[in-house]
Amino acid sequence: MSKKSFVFNDPIKGHYQTQWQAPSNIALVKYWGKHGQQLPQNPSISFTLSQCVTTTAVSFSPRQTGETAFDFLFEQKKQPAFHPKIQQFLERITPYFPALEGHRLSISSQNSFPHSSGIASSASAMAALALCIVDFEKQFHPLWTEEAALQKASFLARLGSGSAARSIAGPLMVWGQSKAFPQSNDHYAIAPAVEWHPIFHDYQDTVLIVDKGQKKVSSTLGHGLMQGHPFAAQRFEQAHSHLEEIKAALTTGDLERFIDLTEAEALTLHAMMMTSNPRFVLMQPNTLALLQKVWDFRAQTDLPLCFTLDAGANVHLLYPRQDRNPIMDFIQKELLVHCQQGQYIEDQVGNGAKKN
Ligand code: DP6
């Protein structure tokens, strides 16, 4: 996507108020490694979630001389710790929406999930903010299609946080150029025009909270570890083939293949961190205990329960809705002992962001 294709230079000025809710997402094939201005080293695919969401309201007004560019409330409270990230985001996106400079943004945000749950909120937060900004711009371009506006929102969200590009639509989003998906590209994520097998439309994601703390490795540092990584080239190549293979599993409903690829991706992500310089082990003893129990349960019951991991200790359990009862029973009896204060979050695949 070239910058020119969606930058309008009209002298837009006005007041506007809007509110968007954007979901979190969980990657199946992982984005790990970036270059240039937030461009991925390999394509990724994620399930869009439905319960873990950020709701953001923004009111835009013409900016007076000397006024700050924005103010920000998180859960009704001032949160200066978030200011640098928002400031950087606004600076990065202004070239793509020059009229933004002439406005002051009053931003108020909240998450449906606890801030200190160890669940990354940058994807849903950046997506919700990008959607509010694009919605404002759209008021001045009524002929702009919904599709084009969502593409731009994904493009802008990516500049805030790479994975945020995928927090726009659903049920599955692909970000990064891949042979498997003709429209895919590095600049914004797409919801591929593919008939996914119905079993995945309401797939469950139960997030086991092993560690509620802040991320041990920031994503910027984490992605940087792939620069000069001894296995980088093989990893990026592997992500391309995993994406092609998982597309087949997601369309045919081949759960065995889906599970194999999803768990391979999760452990490869951690293997990359364990073999970088500096190196990190982000799994904890409870993470490993959970993975082993998931494998034992699957071997004993033949139920298609599998896991994926983010760049942290928490475990996402993925399974079909039809198997919810026996799996929830197992989670409650066997797995919650490994969670911090027995905490977990129940979520499932969803259809993307909405205006509210
Ligand atoms: C492990 O999107 O948080 O969750 O672009 O630096 O903001 P930045 O990184 P971020 O990285 C997410 C990495 C991941 C895998 C994934 O979501 O694909």
Side-chain angles (χ1 to χ4, degrees):
M1 153 100 32
S2 78
K3 182 179 153 184
K4 271 200 251 105
S5 57
F6 57 33
V7 179
F8 307 101
N9 280 310
D10 317 357
I12 293 172
K13 244 198 173 108
H15 291 266
Y16 187 62
Q17 214 171 341
T18 186
Q19 179 168 301
W20 281 78
Q21 176 186 300
S24 183
N25 70 75
I26 180 70
L28 303 169
V29 172
K30 309 287 182 183
Y31 146 58
W32 198 241
K34 61 180 167 179
H35 66 100
Q37 203 184 25
Q38 293 281 101
L39 297 167
Q41 291 282 15
N42 64 260
S44 57
I45 187 167
S46 54
F47 276 143
T48 303
L49 298 179
S50 59
Q51 301 304 314
C52 290
V53 297
T54 299
T55 303
T56 296
V58 182
S59 71
F60 299 83
S61 52
R63 187 168 161 193
Q64 311 301 326
T65 339
E67 257 190 336
T68 54
F70 68 93
D71 61 66
F72 177 66
L73 293 181
F74 181 71
E75 310 208 307
Q76 266 88 57
K77 288 190 205 79
K78 286 194 175 159
Q79 282 283 4
F82 289 115
H83 283 211
K85 188 119 201 198
I86 299 171
Q87 180 74 38
Q88 182 192 48
F89 175 62
L90 295 177
E91 278 164 18
R92 281 189 190 163
I93 69 168
T94 300
Y96 302 96
F97 183 12
L100 206 55
E101 214 155 26
H103 291 85
R104 178 179 157 74
L105 280 61
S106 238
I107 309 166
S108 173
S109 231
Q110 51 204 52
N111 287 345
S112 64
F113 47 101
H115 174 55
S116 59
S117 59
I119 301 289
S121 63
S122 62
S124 52
M126 287 299 168
L129 183 53
L131 284 155
C132 290
I133 290 170
V134 167
D135 189 15
F136 172 51
E137 190 176 20
K138 194 166 185 285
Q139 304 313 306
F140 301 91
H141 301 286
L143 296 181
W144 213 7
T145 62
E146 192 63 26
E147 196 193 347
L150 291 181
Q151 272 175 11
K152 182 158 181 180
S154 172
F155 179 98
L156 296 184
R158 183 201 100 224
L159 297 174
S161 180
S163 55
R166 300 187 311 241
S167 272
I168 303 290
L172 282 133
M173 293 289 280
V174 171
W175 171 44
Q177 207 274 321
S178 152
K179 277 205 298 262
F181 298 93
Q183 310 296 317
S184 60
N185 69 87
D186 288 352
H187 301 277
Y188 57 85
I190 57 162
V194 168
E195 288 256 338
W196 305 115
H197 190 279
I199 201 157
F200 295 111
H201 290 178
D202 56 0
Y203 223 65
Q204 306 292 294
D205 178 5
T206 303
V207 193
L208 303 178
I209 312 296
V210 172
D211 186 357
K212 299 202 283 183
Q214 285 279 317
K215 280 197 203 173
K216 303 275 178 301
V217 177
S218 77
S219 52
T220 306
L221 191 127
H223 290 287
L225 298 174
M226 290 307 282
Q227 263 160 33
H229 192 293
F231 308 136
Q234 295 95 316
R235 160 59 195 154
F236 300 144
E237 213 176 291
Q238 180 199 49
H240 279 272
S241 42
H242 278 173
L243 192 58
E244 288 184 47
E245 289 178 56
I246 210 165
K247 180 188 177 190
L250 287 163
T251 47
T252 58
D254 180 346
L255 291 184
E256 210 174 309
R257 197 76 201 105
F258 170 81
I259 288 171
D260 187 42
L261 290 160
T262 301
E263 292 187 350
E265 275 292 314
L267 293 178
T268 302
L269 170 71
H270 282 257
M272 288 300 111
M273 285 181 267
M274 289 188 208
T275 50
S276 55
N277 183 11
R279 43 195 170 265
F280 297 94
V281 179
L282 300 182
M283 288 188 274
Q284 291 180 5
N286 276 322
T287 315
L288 292 173
L290 287 164
L291 303 196
Q292 190 58 53
K293 282 192 176 176
V294 167
W295 282 333
D296 293 345
F297 176 80
R298 198 160 74 224
Q300 282 155 18
T301 63
D302 244 351
L303 288 172
L305 171 67
C306 74
F307 64 81
T308 188
L309 305 164
D310 262 342
N314 297 336
V315 178
H316 288 248
L317 294 178
L318 303 177
Y319 52 96
R321 190 174 169 82
Q322 68 201 32
D323 298 316
R324 195 173 178 277
N325 288 345
I327 290 176
M328 272 317 289
D329 198 45
F330 165 64
I331 291 174
Q332 262 148 7
K333 291 202 179 106
E334 301 279 339
L335 303 188
L336 295 188
V337 298
H338 300 288
C339 297
Q340 201 171 349
Q341 295 160 337
Q343 273 198 348
Y344 67 104
I345 295 175
E346 283 190 82
D347 210 335
Q348 66 171 34
V349 170
N351 287 317
K354 37 183 194 257
K355 185 169 173 166
N356 53 13

